[in-house]
Amino acid sequence: MHTAYLGLGSNMGDRELQLVEAIKLLNEVEGIEVTQESPIYETKPIGYTEQPDFLNMCIEISTELESSELLKVCMMVEQQLHRVRVERWGPRTIDIDILLYDQSVIQSPDLEVPHPRMTERAFVMVPLNDIASNVVEPISKKYIWELLLNDEQVVKYKSERN
Ligand SMILES: Nc1ncnc2c1ncn2[C@@H]1O[C@H](COP(=O)(O)OP(=O)(O)OP(=O)(O)O)[C@@H](O)[C@H]1O
Ligand SMILES: Nc1nc2c(c(=O)[nH]1)N=C(CO)CN2
């Protein structure tokens, strides 16, 4: 059995209904059980900003499916909810991203896990932290180290007072 975290987003049509429907459809798939749902957040669009606000949330699932099968299921659910994609990062009825799959690191042409942009996105990290703070804590700590290693200079200050 595997544990995975999925990020859900919607900014077209009945946004809340589409999140609810996506969770229902995922739960109906054999080999998937939705075990936790975060609160829903209303978020300003990141990236391409000339589009409506999103509703975002994260869920935890317990699954027998391999990661590639899980990706197919996510894409199938997106299709069932009539996802239309006009442009990359543009408006969509539903977007389902695989954020984490156990502790796996996957780098295939179709699937990258952990999701490569998740740590830059508060609309992912905030709801993920609501349902999996134990998972977010080591990730964010690692991320802080990466920021420091890459460009930011943050050096401990030695007091000049007595
Ligand atoms: N972790 C992942 N979860 C979902 N799709 C992924 C993942 N890694 C790679 N992909 C690929 O990304 C494609 C979907 O891209 P999509 O258009 O949904 O990206 P996006 O949601 O607009 O942008 P972003 O990936 O930055 O959230 C899929 O065809 C899938 O093969
Ligand atoms: N607030 C917000 N912004 C986004 C979102 C999203 O889900 N929420 N998804 C994107 C592409 O995946 C791009 N920008």
Side-chain angles (χ1 to χ4, degrees), residues 28-132:
E28 282 170 7
V29 173
E30 189 159 347
I32 296 184
E33 188 193 348
V34 176
T35 44
Q36 284 202 81
E37 295 176 24
S38 78
I40 296 173
Y41 291 87
E42 186 155 40
T43 65
K44 294 279 168 213
I46 300 294
Y48 172 58
T49 52
E50 293 298 307
Q51 58 175 325
D53 289 354
F54 280 81
L55 293 186
N56 284 108
M57 69 182 296
C58 291
I59 61 172
E60 179 190 75
I61 62 168
S62 176
T63 184
E64 289 164 10
L65 304 185
E66 290 308 317
S67 55
S68 57
E69 296 171 318
L70 179 60
L71 178 65
K72 282 190 197 135
V73 167
C74 292
M75 293 169 86
M76 195 185 72
V77 170
E78 288 180 345
Q79 291 302 321
Q80 278 176 278
L81 292 173
H82 302 111
R83 168 164 172 179
V84 274
R85 183 165 8 118
V86 186
E87 54 197 306
R88 191 168 186 223
W89 292 332
R92 66 274 314 275
T93 51
I94 190 77
D95 180 35
I96 306 174
D97 288 332
I98 303 176
L99 305 173
L100 300 165
Y101 182 89
D102 293 332
Q103 311 278 320
S104 305
V105 177
I106 303 163
Q107 298 275 359
S108 77
D110 292 340
L111 183 62
E112 281 185 74
V113 174
H115 190 285
R117 289 165 286 284
M118 65 182 277
T119 52
E120 298 159 18
R121 296 173 164 176
F123 68 78
V124 173
M125 298 308 277
V126 171
L128 186 61
N129 187 51
D130 289 331
I131 57 170

Side-chain angles (χ1 to χ4, degrees), residues 144-160:
I144 291 168
W145 279 111
E146 275 173 16
L147 289 175
L148 295 177
L149 285 174
N150 284 342
D151 39 28
E152 281 193 53
Q153 286 282 325
V154 182
V155 178
K156 193 168 260 173
Y157 176 72
K158 195 166 180 301
S159 173
E160 291 175 353

